[in-house]
Amino acid sequence: MEGGLEVGDVRVEVRHLDTSDLTSVRKFAKRILEDERSLHVLINNAGMMGCPKREVTQDGLELTMATNYYGHFLLTNLLLGLMKKSSPGRIIALTSSDHSYVNKLNPDSLNFEREHYSSRTAYGQTSLCNILFSVELASKLEGTGVTANSVHPGCVHTEFFYKGKVTLFSWICRKLYLLMGKDVQLGAQPTIYLAVSQEVEDVSGQYFVDCQVAKTSELARQKKLAKQVWEATEVDVKLQPEEKHY
Ligand SMILES: NC(=O)c1ccc[n+]([C@@H]2O[C@H](COP(=O)([O-])OP(=O)(O)OC[C@H]3O[C@@H](n4cnc5c(N)ncnc54)[C@H](OP(=O)(O)O)[C@@H]3O)[C@@H](O)[C@H]2O)c1
């Protein structure tokens, strides 16, 4: 569904974007750059848990990584020039506490070419990559007035475990999240807080849980790894010189 709609006093434009498809990301960004004169908030929210078996997109990327991480990486880079020009701005990456399940990350094999694949490992790795991406982005954006942070929204009873193939794990999660998860209104609050609160207008490069800066896993704190992953990702998404705005 594309088009415009009025929500109260606000006009909302709906545009198609498939974050797992780099062509779709470039097309979406091109239209934004043509139509918009300023951009202050970018929330990289799209996410899914991959299939039991490794799947590869037409760009040669593992599907979970493409959807949750690569698409956001490319989109952010393509929109960065506009965000810097219309500073102040905030870039928010949805991530997960599952990043801490990952105990090794090989920047040369981000698509599980050589590493063991499972849907949980792939999801955890996308969460870790999104934190590392925010850390490196924050350092590249220092002094520009544009901040970059990541957020774990908590356990929220959304559509997340109702999509794709039903596995024992997803079935258990559905029941647990139904009983114990936050509702979607409450689950959106940590992201909204990062997008609008004055308390965090100068905070950058941090990971948030419950609207507070939280500690990440040891791997997610490695600045050298963040740089290596950024460089490998630029190659994987074929980022062109004219697409670099940092
Ligand atoms: N729910 C939780 O407890 C929890 C915990 C930690 C982190 N998170 C993160 O929070 C974010 C939001 O998830 P959610 O819980 O709200 O789940 P959700 O209800 O399933 O929402 C996920 C959103 O991502 C979109 N999406 C999926 N694949 C996409 C693609 N290829 N291109 C564009 N959009 C795509 C979905 O669009 P469609 O509806 O069109 O498929 C949907 O709007 C995700 O990044 C997730 O990893 C959630």
Side-chain angles (χ1 to χ4, degrees):
M1 180 193 78
E2 289 219 2
L5 63 141
E6 309 293 331
V7 182
D9 295 339
V10 179
R11 183 166 171 79
V12 177
E13 284 289 332
V14 181
R15 305 263 172 98
H16 182 262
L17 166 66
D18 179 353
T19 56
S20 71
D21 174 0
L22 300 180
T23 305
S24 168
V25 175
R26 285 190 164 90
K27 202 169 149 192
F28 174 84
K30 185 168 178 282
R31 283 183 64 193
I32 297 284
L33 295 174
E34 283 166 0
D35 295 351
E36 304 299 331
R37 292 170 60 191
S38 60
L39 178 61
H40 298 289
V41 178
L42 174 61
I43 300 175
N44 288 319
N45 176 73
M48 50 88 82
M49 180 89 78
C51 317
K53 283 196 179 145
R54 179 177 177 267
E55 273 187 34
V56 175
T57 68
Q58 59 190 12
D59 300 299
L61 306 171
E62 188 280 318
L63 181 62
T64 330
M65 283 293 286
T67 308
N68 301 5
Y69 170 61
Y70 282 111
H72 294 144
F73 178 94
L74 178 61
L75 181 64
T76 305
N77 273 281
L78 297 175
L79 298 179
L80 212 49
L82 177 61
M83 290 205 77
K84 284 166 76 176
K85 206 171 74 184
S86 52
S87 166
R90 302 181 187 195
I91 300 168
I92 299 148
L94 268 289
T95 181
S96 162
S97 56
D98 283 15
H99 76 274
S100 58
Y101 297 142
V102 182
N103 50 28
K104 71 175 164 66
L105 182 64
N106 180 356
D108 298 324
S109 175
L110 291 177
N111 290 288
F112 299 90
E113 294 94 340
R114 291 185 293 282
E115 313 300 321
H116 170 72
Y117 173 89
S118 77
S119 59
R120 273 211 88 194
T121 316
Y123 181 71
Q125 183 176 294
T126 67
S127 301
L128 176 60
C129 285
N130 276 324
I131 297 175
L132 292 167
F133 171 36
S134 292
V135 167
E136 180 61 17
L137 183 60
S139 103
K140 285 182 160 46
L141 289 174
E142 247 177 56
T144 64
V146 181
T147 61
N149 291 294
S150 59
V151 58
H152 166 61
C155 297
V156 191
H157 185 235
T158 60
E159 297 291 308
F160 198 75
F161 291 109
Y162 292 80
K163 293 171 181 166
K165 198 168 184 307
V166 183
T167 59
L168 179 63
F169 177 71
S170 71
W171 185 84
I172 292 170
C173 287
R174 280 183 196 183
K175 300 294 169 204
L176 277 178
Y177 280 48
L178 177 63
L179 287 172
M180 295 155 57
K182 303 181 208 174
D183 66 30
V184 288
Q185 277 79 14
L186 205 55
Q189 294 313 308
T191 308
I192 295 170
Y193 171 79
L194 275 180
V196 299
S197 171
Q198 281 188 358
E199 284 173 10
V200 288
E201 64 185 345
D202 297 322
V203 181
S204 197
Q206 300 295 332
Y207 165 71
F208 282 77
V209 180
D210 289 336
C211 301
Q212 285 178 342
V213 173
K215 201 171 168 189
T216 56
S217 69
E218 201 267 323
L219 263 191
R221 289 197 291 278
Q222 291 185 12
K223 295 212 162 137
K224 191 174 160 206
L225 181 64
K227 207 171 172 34
Q228 289 170 335
V229 170
W230 179 290
E231 284 163 6
T233 306
E234 278 195 2
V235 175
D236 290 345
V237 301
K238 300 184 176 61
L239 197 71
Q240 300 301 305
E242 66 275 15
E243 294 177 335
K244 294 185 189 178
H245 302 283
Y246 52 84

